[in-house]
Amino acid sequence: DTAVSQTPKYLVTQMGNDKSIKCEQNLGHDTMYWYKQDSKKFLKIMFSYNNKELIINETVPNRFSPKSPDKAHLNLHINSLELGDSAVYFCASSRDRAESPLHFGNGTRLTVT
Amino acid sequence: GDSVTQMEGPVTLSEEAFLTINCTYTATGYPSLFWYVQYPGEGLQLLLKATKADDKGSNKGFEATYRKETTSFHLEKGSVQVSDSAVYFCALSSGYALNFGKGTSLLVTP
């Protein structure tokens, strides 16, 4: 069973569109994250949630809105997509704070044309 | 804020060579330190961790020691294999975030 699964794996869309990426973890973890990896492989945290509560929102444009319906799910909705949003987005989870190891999904490659 | 600096890549080595990837950190408290590995087309996987000064993390022949006096957590392996080709990330925990270095790409040739 996949521990952290995110869909879709690939997402190609045009500028101005709205899209969502879904993430689910079956590890029983309390904390979930969204990271953005750019073309140079740099990973930057976007959001972290603990028990459905937003803990970290790292200077991400308001066009990005995470939603956590329960602690096993953390979805990412993006409005009015821009070229600069093209990246690989990773969902992750951990048992509690980031001292406990993060488990990553396989990523969603978003391409905005 | 808390941050990690790791050596730039790419690093190219021949099989069975010795590997060192340098990592230094800046932190106000006493973070846990990690090395993660990313194979092509995959998410990151935990390679090893250390939670306090002088701890040594080890896994799959890789080792790293938490050095508080030099604020370092260098990754080493005595004999690399082609299958070790990947991107390696040093990271430190900071509350509900894991802050990553920029990653070091390693290519091991037969």
Side-chain angles (χ1 to χ4, degrees):
Chain A
D1 276 347
T2 303
V4 180
S5 59
Q6 51 182 114
T7 55
K9 186 172 175 64
Y10 299 98
L11 189 51
V12 181
T13 188
Q14 292 183 324
M15 284 174 56
N17 285 348
D18 303 340
K19 290 293 178 185
S20 292
I21 306 172
K22 295 186 176 182
C23 179
E24 175 182 6
Q25 54 96 3
N26 63 5
L27 296 167
H29 287 169
D30 287 342
T31 306
M32 295 186 73
Y33 310 80
W34 278 109
Y35 278 85
K36 179 180 180 181
Q37 186 174 46
D38 64 21
S39 59
K40 296 184 178 179
K41 300 290 187 182
F42 180 58
L43 274 160
K44 183 169 173 55
I45 188 163
M46 301 173 68
F47 304 102
S48 72
Y49 271 72
N50 178 258
N51 279 315
K52 303 193 298 175
E53 181 183 344
L54 178 65
I55 302 295
I56 289 176
N57 180 345
E58 279 289 315
T59 59
V60 177
N62 290 338
R63 299 182 295 103
F64 290 79
S65 52
K67 284 187 171 51
S68 183
D70 55 62
K71 74 174 192 176
H73 295 84
L74 181 61
N75 304 322
L76 183 65
H77 188 76
I78 316 169
N79 290 327
S80 303
L81 278 154
E82 300 177 358
L83 292 176
D85 297 332
S86 296
V88 181
Y89 292 83
F90 286 99
C91 178
S93 71
S94 65
R95 186 164 41 85
D96 188 20
R97 294 162 66 94
E99 283 82 10
S100 52
L102 269 63
H103 294 252
F104 282 81
N106 283 333
T108 296
R109 181 174 294 277
L110 171 65
T111 304
V112 182
T113 62
Chain B
D2 296 354
S3 65
V4 167
T5 302
Q6 64 181 104
M7 61 186 285
E8 297 280 332
V11 174
T12 303
L13 294 174
S14 298
E15 205 165 21
E16 298 184 4
F18 184 85
L19 168 72
T20 300
I21 301 178
N22 290 336
C23 172
T24 57
Y25 68 91
T26 302
T28 51
Y30 301 96
S32 294
L33 300 174
F34 305 81
W35 278 99
Y36 281 79
V37 58
Q38 184 179 27
Y39 298 102
E42 298 184 11
L44 279 74
Q45 304 172 25
L46 177 66
L47 182 59
L48 53 85
K49 66 178 281 190
T51 57
K52 61 183 187 297
D54 300 326
D55 267 3
K56 178 186 281 188
S58 60
N59 186 25
K60 300 181 182 179
F62 291 89
E63 293 183 341
T65 301
Y66 191 140
R67 301 277 188 209
K68 187 180 171 188
E69 62 276 11
T70 54
T71 60
S72 64
F73 193 56
H74 304 321
L75 182 68
E76 296 182 337
K77 185 174 185 182
S79 175
V80 293
Q81 305 300 311
V82 172
S83 57
D84 293 328
S85 298
V87 181
Y88 292 81
F89 293 89
C90 187
L92 64 76
S93 60
S94 182
Y96 286 96
L98 197 61
N99 295 331
F100 287 92
K102 293 189 175 181
T104 302
S105 176
L106 170 66
L107 176 64
V108 181
T109 58

